[in-house]
Amino acid sequence: MNKLPLTISETQKGLKDKKFSAVELVDSYLANIEKNKDLNAFNTISSETAYKQAKEADKILGYKDTGILGDYPLLGVNVAHKDLFLTKGIRTTASSKVLESYVPAYSATAVTRMEKAGAIMIGKTNCDAWAHGASGENSDFGPTLNPWNRAYVPGGSSSGSAAAVSAGLSLISTGTDTGGSIRQPANFCGVTGFKPTYGAVSRYGVISMASSLDCVGSFGHMVEDVEIIFNVTKGSDGYDSTVVNTKHEARSTKIKIGIPKEYFIDGLNKEVEKSAIEASKVFEKEGVELVEISLPNTKYAIDVYYIIQPAEVSSNLGRYDGVRYGNSRGSFGAEAKRRIMLGTYVLSAGYYDAYYLKAQKVRSKIIQDFDKVFESVDAILAPVSPTPAFRLGEKASDPLQMYLADIFTVSANLVGIPAIAIPSGFTKEKLPLGFQLMSPRFSEQTLFTLGKLYQKSTSYDPKLPS
Amino acid sequence: MSRLSKADVLHVAKLANLDLTEVEIKKFLAQLSSIIEHVSELNKVDTTNIEPTSQTTGLENVFREDEIKLSSLDQDAALSGTDDTYNAFFKVPAILEGRTDK
């Protein structure tokens, strides 16, 4: 194959026009993975499964009745799953030594639904162990590198998933977003990353991090591609009782975007700021009204997050005792231990009210800010992270500095709203830039409409790093 | 707010069922203290009459009929994660000690 297709529609057009077969697509991705082995984007390559699924896709493509293709919205689409998604018969590690040789007996709902839609699983991607991190450096199997510049981090925790799509090792990938773990690496790697509303997609079979915050989402080059994945994966499965079935509609046709002044603060990188403002101008040119808004409790979001999240982490990681599967608790890495300790402390007798309960109350105030703002605007535009990708090792020794990289992303998780990170160019040093859009609960359609409008208006043409 | 003491770290490690080395204890003492100091900013926020949030989409109790309909793992699949089994049961570490008064 000369040039890899970078969108779902281009992929499926090529398959239907017989420009390439699904098996040839798998050949190309596997060759690219081999060529980019130094990125360390994958923990496991599932070539056997991939070829089996590709042959099945080619068989379906050969049917005379082409009407059947509508039943397979992801037909022939190669997907890499974050190694937090259980995959029956294929090793799933959470990038932790605790689960180094764990082979699940069942698959996550998101995985099963994508397979049923015709997707081809190419492998399992590296991430910060247990999804704890903002750089990918907390993986027990070594860091993933940024495909645009290998001296830089790809972001985290879904580091390998973002890097894999960005480098053309897979067309799309899955991720989890608990405090920014999809949007921030998407932003650092120059791809689109989507986090749905809390409770829109089942988390059954996805290794839990912090249960009041965890969301299952995806990466792709185009907004329309993450929309397709969302439509395949959303809705209840009977196994995750937080899932709500709804229409995910936009509230109005005349969309207003709010620009929160609390996200354009001192210390925000100038190129990041400029790029987000330019993105807002694109919307203005398209007739979208921009409104200055205020979310006064934003400054407390990171503190609330770093109480609630470790508390829930310490509880969820309590199940790993090495008895039924996996290795003993001594195999936890430094960051997991740190979060278990922090979470256990804020939940312990004598400190629960001062930390955990207090954080849950301030969380309510942050939610009130957003609910009030959404009375007058349909979406919020903001930077994703205060800086572009940082250098490997730059923040690794200081956990507090690393935690502050999540400062603009955690609010969407605390409030439970959907958000999307969209690429918007490059810095002078050729590192990706981007911005995020957030909208009210279950109004995913607003994000897709705005995201597609932006990519159309800027004639967005995704490229792989050379 | 108060910084952590070494006794706090040891107590929390015991609650969390983690065996820490001396090096880890020293490292976590410093790191956890600085994180706790940072998050203690929240004490400045007035939360009088504010209800805590633990669920964001307003769901309360979600019920289903009490009947068996969901598929489940068979015994072999359920035990497939470990080699440490006995008569189709998981083997677990002893938590009780033998009596010494007999």
Side-chain angles (χ1 to χ4, degrees), chain A residues 96-119:
Chain A
S96 165
K97 293 221 163 120
V98 173
L99 297 180
E100 200 168 14
S101 52
Y102 171 59
V103 178
Y106 66 101
S107 289
T109 294
V111 171
T112 313
R113 287 188 173 171
M114 289 171 85
E115 276 174 357
K116 253 185 90 182

Side-chain angles (χ1 to χ4, degrees), chain A residues 198 239 241-242 300 303 323-325 329 337-338 340-341 345 355 358 360-361 363-365 414 441, chain B residues 1 9 12 16-17 24 31 36 38 41-42 45-47 50-51 53-54 56-57 59 62 81 90:
Chain A
Y198 179 83
Y239 295 107
S241 58
T242 63
Y300 300 114
D303 291 334
V323 172
R324 291 149 300 151
Y325 51 85
R329 294 177 75 74
K337 281 186 186 166
R338 188 156 38 240
I340 293 170
M341 293 287 292
Y345 178 75
Y355 294 111
K358 182 76 182 181
Q360 285 189 309
K361 286 181 179 172
R363 181 178 189 176
S364 302
K365 291 193 74 148
L414 292 171
R441 288 175 206 98
Chain B
M1 180 95 30
V9 173
V12 171
N17 193 16
E24 285 177 320
Q31 290 177 340
I36 290 290
H38 196 276
E41 276 290 296
L42 293 186
V45 187
D46 179 12
T47 50
I50 300 277
E51 289 292 318
T53 296
S54 55
T56 49
T57 54
L59 281 180
V62 178
F90 290 111

Side-chain angles (χ1 to χ4, degrees), chain A residues 211-225:
Chain A
S211 299
S212 80
L213 304 162
D214 289 347
C215 290
V216 164
S218 62
F219 296 87
H221 286 286
M222 305 301 287
V223 173
E224 62 179 53
D225 287 2

Side-chain angles (χ1 to χ4, degrees), chain B residues 94-100:
Chain B
I95 53 164
L96 300 173
E97 289 168 11
R99 287 178 70 163
T100 52

Side-chain angles (χ1 to χ4, degrees), chain A residues 26-27 59 86 149 161 172 176 187 200 205 219 221 231 235 288-289 324 327 338 346 359 378 395 403 420 443:
Chain A
V26 172
D27 289 339
K59 204 169 96 190
L86 300 197
N149 185 330
S161 287
I172 58 167
T176 56
N187 183 236
F219 296 87
H221 286 286
N231 285 327
V288 175
E289 189 184 339
R324 291 149 300 151
N327 300 320
R338 188 156 38 240
V346 299
D378 306 281
K395 300 182 184 200
Y403 294 175
I420 192 165
S443 70

Side-chain angles (χ1 to χ4, degrees), chain A residues 195-203 213-216 230 234-236 240-246 248 416 442 444, chain B residues 55-57 59:
Chain A
K195 169 218 175 292
T197 307
Y198 179 83
V201 177
S202 169
R203 300 168 299 180
L213 304 162
D214 289 347
C215 290
V216 164
F230 177 65
K234 71 182 181 188
S236 71
D240 176 352
S241 58
T242 63
V243 177
V244 176
N245 288 328
T246 161
H248 307 279
F442 302 110
E444 277 79 359
Chain B
Q55 214 282 346
T56 49
T57 54
L59 281 180

